[in-house]
């Protein structure tokens, strides 16, 4: 079998969140809404180019009803552009799912991979975590694996394409049941260096790495995360590493490890930017805006570094009284993971910091930081068009799609201020103002520098980003991954 990147393929995509979630409208009719989050936004366009069966968790009551009505089998769905695909919703045991999602996946794996613990205080790998691992993360991964194995019985030639940190164990489970499966795993978040993985007990970090090594291909956004993974395989599970070829050999199998930064569908964003809901929001923003607009768009995730961003803006205002009343920061924050205490506490800290800056500087109706906490994608795209400075100062970020989306539709020669710890920085570094995410003073200086930059220079940088993103779009990313698979899967499947 030859797997070629640009060819239409049968894909079984596996991710925790699916492309749609079901609900009921006011009249009580079933409606399919757009699933949220960076990963889903990015993967949705795979449907247009391949025959996709998507295996995802049933998230809402209505999702569960859909899964029950089909007896757990896949249902036929259509994407916004009319492309058909199959959706298989896995209705997990609710208690197991809570442990899987709210104990292991987000407060543990996400925190670990973004270096988010201050180690003298956290984490405690206590009985609760061990229990959540064995009675939550493991059975939910088993349920995903069982669904994949059933789908493979229906279409044995399909390639399995796992996504992210929710399903690290499933590839090994699928491999055990179907030894000649062809599978790839894309990790959307950073890979921590092996010393930091030592926070996690040996059997758990081993299970994560060995689960991933059951794939034919493991891929990351950047060379940096890829390098960390390669080293960790050697350090933590004693795998044999061929660093120059990016191949890891372990337990008689080999896995190719590559990096390809995910991207966006430039056409989709051009359409969105011209759509009525976005134009309406843009009018509202344009009416209220001051001379300069500094924008940030994030989920309310501690990894996004929102509090330090506000502090930096406060330092900037302190140093530049001439800008008072002439510039404001618009923070469009999509509330995220509020069932997890670390996230709800962080949202409180975000609100407190915005108030501290506003109480100190506001006068005559000018509010320095306009904080909007809402899930409002059209408004985010409208604000993308209007910024003069986009601040992306994440502590760590696998890639950061906002830093690619916003310049593409911006109409004001806006400047991107970008954390050196985002995956996107590896690609966009030459066109952005680079900041260290912990250096709030440096971020304040970068905001000032961006606002003072001559138009020509701003335009040159924006054009650089736009040309890069158009050339390295989402289709190119998917094709590159499938090409990688061609290199490893052809001998295995003859
Ligand atoms: C993870 C990784 C990686 C914006 N406002 C709203 C909204 N958005 C959209 C944006 C963008 C997405 O959400 C956010 O994507 P990011 O990449 O910035 O961040 P994560 O959600 O953390 O994504 C990240 C990504 O996966 C892909 O691999 O880049 O590093 O952490 O597309 O336009 N979406 C909704 N409501 C809003 O108000 N639904």
């Amino acid at each position: 079998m030859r797997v070629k990147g640009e060819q239409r393929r049968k894909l079984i995509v596996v991710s925790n969140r699916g492309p749609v979630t079901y609900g009921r409208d006011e009249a009580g009719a079933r409606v399919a809404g757009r699933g949220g989050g960076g990963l889903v936004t990015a993967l949705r366009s795979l449907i247009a180019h391949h025959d996709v069966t998507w295996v995802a968790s049933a998230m809402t009551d209505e999702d569960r009803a859909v899964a029950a009505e089909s007896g757990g089998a896949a249902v036929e769905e259509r994407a916004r552009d009319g492309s058909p695909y199959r959706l298989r919703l896995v209705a997990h045991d609710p208690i197991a799912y809570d442990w899987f999602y709210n104990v292991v996946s987000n407060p543990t794996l996400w925190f670990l991979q973004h270096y988010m613990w201050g180690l003298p205080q956290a984490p405690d790998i206590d009985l609760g975590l061990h229990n959540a691992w064995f009675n939550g993360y493991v059975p939910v991964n088993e349920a995903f694996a069982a669904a994949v194995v059933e789908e493979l019985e229906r279409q044995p030639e399909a390639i399995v394409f796992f996504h992210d940190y929710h399903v690290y164990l499933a590839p090994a489970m699928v491999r055990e049941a179907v030894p000649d499966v062809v599978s790839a795993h894309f990790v959307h978040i950073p890979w921590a260096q092996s010393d930091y993985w030592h926070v996690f007990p040996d059997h758990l970090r081993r299970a994560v790495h060995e689960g991933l090594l059951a794939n034919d291909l493991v891929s990351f956004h950047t060379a940096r995360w890829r390098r960390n993974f390669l080293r960790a395989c050697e350090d933590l599970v004693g795998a044999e590493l061929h660093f120059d070829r990016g191949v890891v050999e372990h337990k008689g199998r080999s896995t190719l490890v590559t990096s390809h930064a995910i991207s966006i569908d430039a056409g989709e964003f051009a359409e969105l930017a011209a759509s009525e809901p976005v134009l309406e929001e843009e009018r509202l923003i344009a009416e209220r805006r001051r001379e300069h607009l500094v924008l940030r768009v994030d989920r309310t995730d501690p990894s996004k570094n929102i509090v330090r961003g506000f502090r930096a803006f406060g330092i900037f205002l302190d140093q530049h009284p001439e800008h008072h009343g002439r510039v404001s920061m618009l923070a469009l924050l999509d509330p995220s993971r509020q069932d997890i205490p670390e996230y709800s506490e962080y949202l409180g800290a975000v609100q407190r910091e915005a108030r501290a800056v506003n109480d100190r500087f506001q006068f005559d109706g000018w509010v320095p930081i306009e904080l909007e906490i809402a899930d409002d994608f059209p408004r985010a795209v409208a604000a993308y068009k209007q910024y003069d400075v986009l601040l992306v100062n994440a502590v760590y970020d696998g890639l950061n799609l906002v830093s690619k989306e916003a310049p593409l539709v911006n109409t004001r020669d806006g400047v991107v201020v970008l954390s050196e710890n985002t995956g996107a920085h590896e690609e966009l570094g030459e066109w952005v103002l680079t900041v260290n995410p912990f250096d709030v003073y440096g971020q304040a200086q970068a905001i000032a520098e961006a606002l003072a930059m001559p138009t020509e220079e701003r335009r040159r940088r924006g054009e650089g980003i736009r040309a890069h993103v158009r050339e390295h779009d989402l289709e190119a990313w998917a094709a590159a991954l499938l090409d990688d698979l061609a290199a490893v899967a052809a001998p295995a499947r003859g």
Side-chain angles (χ1 to χ4, degrees):
M1 184 185 70
R2 180 92 180 112
V3 185
K4 204 58 186 122
E6 64 279 11
Q7 202 174 306
R8 196 171 178 91
R9 302 294 321 166
K10 285 191 173 138
L11 297 181
I12 300 173
V13 174
V14 187
S15 65
N16 179 45
R17 236 171 239 279
V20 291
T21 48
Y22 295 96
R24 294 261 172 195
D25 67 14
E26 281 151 21
R30 175 169 294 159
V31 286
R34 193 183 155 110
L39 178 152
V40 164
T41 312
L43 295 187
R44 209 180 270 117
S45 78
L46 278 181
I47 291 170
H49 303 286
H50 300 280
D51 296 333
V52 171
T53 298
W54 201 314
V55 179
S57 296
M59 314 283 284
T60 61
D61 288 347
E62 203 56 28
D63 286 355
R64 291 178 159 276
V66 170
E69 284 163 24
S70 69
V75 295
E76 304 289 334
E77 257 297 352
R78 275 188 189 275
R80 220 169 41 132
D81 67 355
S83 312
Y85 68 101
R86 298 170 73 246
L87 176 62
R88 181 173 178 138
L89 292 172
V90 184
H92 303 289
D93 170 66
I95 294 174
Y97 188 81
D98 178 49
W99 283 327
F100 156 85
Y101 192 76
N102 290 320
V103 181
V104 177
S105 298
N106 291 321
T108 305
L109 291 170
W110 178 277
F111 270 56
L112 196 163
Q113 292 189 239
H114 291 83
Y115 300 92
M116 270 160 52
W117 288 308
L119 294 184
Q121 287 85 33
D124 280 334
I125 310 286
D126 55 9
L127 181 62
L129 182 63
H130 285 282
N131 171 62
W133 180 272
F134 287 106
N135 297 313
Y137 196 72
V138 172
V140 167
N141 270 263
E142 283 169 347
F144 273 120
V148 170
V149 170
E150 271 189 37
E151 290 300 328
L152 281 169
E153 281 163 11
R154 191 177 174 274
Q155 35 181 352
E157 69 285 22
I159 295 164
V160 185
F161 197 1
F162 292 102
H163 288 272
D164 238 356
Y165 55 101
H166 307 90
V167 290
Y168 285 152
L169 306 182
M173 295 164 176
V174 172
R175 171 82 51 201
E176 203 181 327
V178 186
D180 69 346
V181 64
V182 175
S183 74
H185 204 126
F186 193 83
V187 179
H188 292 252
I189 64 177
W191 204 262
Q193 288 174 322
S194 41
D195 276 350
Y196 204 70
W197 276 100
H198 274 266
V199 174
F200 222 29
D202 179 58
H203 59 294
L204 302 185
R205 62 184 191 244
R206 186 173 281 276
V208 166
H209 288 80
E210 291 188 336
L212 280 171
L213 289 176
N215 291 288
D216 300 292
L217 171 71
V218 177
S219 197
F220 297 88
H221 287 303
T222 66
R224 186 177 179 187
W225 318 140
R226 170 181 177 267
R227 188 167 54 237
N228 289 348
F229 178 73
L230 286 168
R231 293 273 177 238
C233 288
E234 187 177 46
D235 295 347
L236 303 180
V237 301
E240 195 179 325
L241 178 58
H242 305 274
F243 194 84
D244 45 339
R245 288 188 290 131
V247 170
V248 181
E249 286 183 31
H250 188 57
K251 293 190 168 172
R253 309 192 57 260
S254 63
T255 302
L256 177 66
V257 183
T258 64
S259 62
H260 299 289
I262 211 166
S263 195
I264 59 176
D265 180 337
E268 187 193 352
F269 269 87
E271 256 177 57
L272 272 168
S275 69
E276 196 42 53
V278 169
L279 292 174
E280 175 56 26
E281 288 301 331
E282 194 186 359
R283 277 191 286 276
L284 297 172
I285 292 170
E287 258 168 43
R288 278 180 62 92
R289 59 165 297 146
R290 300 278 165 154
E291 187 181 337
H292 298 296
L293 183 68
V294 179
L295 175 69
R296 71 175 308 141
V297 175
D298 294 288
R299 286 184 299 101
T300 55
D301 191 302
S303 69
K304 304 293 182 184
N305 212 17
I306 301 162
V307 173
R308 283 200 192 86
F310 290 170
R311 275 188 200 137
F313 192 61
I315 295 169
F316 158 78
L317 291 176
D318 212 13
Q319 292 176 335
H320 294 276
E322 75 280 11
H323 277 295
H324 292 193
R326 295 174 51 212
V327 57
S328 45
M329 176 183 260
L330 178 60
L332 300 183
L333 306 181
D334 186 3
S336 182
R337 304 176 189 166
Q338 290 301 300
D339 291 340
I340 299 168
E342 285 87 343
Y343 281 77
S344 47
E345 284 158 15
Y346 188 69
L347 183 51
V350 164
Q351 289 168 311
R352 272 194 300 279
E353 191 61 36
R355 170 159 280 278
V357 173
N358 286 342
D359 283 349
R360 179 155 173 228
F361 294 103
Q362 70 186 354
F363 69 90
D364 275 356
W366 171 62
V367 180
I369 298 178
E370 300 210 17
L371 181 58
E372 296 182 16
I373 298 164
D375 175 353
D376 192 343
F377 182 63
R379 189 158 171 83
V381 178
Y384 287 170
K385 295 171 78 178
Q386 284 282 322
Y387 72 83
D388 300 289
V389 181
L390 178 76
L391 178 62
V392 177
N393 66 330
V395 169
Y396 281 94
D397 214 335
L399 180 87
N400 192 279
L401 285 170
V402 171
S403 64
K404 289 189 172 181
E405 295 166 352
L408 202 64
V409 297
N410 182 259
T411 59
R412 295 179 57 89
D413 297 318
V415 178
V416 179
V417 174
L418 186 60
S419 161
E420 61 183 348
N421 288 344
T422 61
H425 192 271
E426 200 166 290
E427 292 173 88
L428 308 182
E430 64 178 293
W431 303 293
V432 302
L433 294 180
T434 301
V435 287
N436 174 298
F438 309 101
D439 180 2
V440 286
Y441 178 74
Q443 288 162 49
Q445 283 182 311
I447 292 170
E449 188 184 338
L451 288 173
M453 196 180 278
T455 314
E456 282 296 288
E457 176 67 4
R458 291 190 277 125
R459 185 161 304 154
R460 186 188 68 76
R461 289 170 184 254
E463 286 301 336
I465 298 177
R466 281 189 283 279
H468 177 89
V469 173
R470 286 199 188 106
E471 193 183 333
H472 301 88
D473 66 357
L474 190 55
E475 220 176 307
W477 170 82
L481 280 168
L482 293 174
D483 274 347
D484 285 350
L485 260 184
V488 288
R493 295 283 284 267

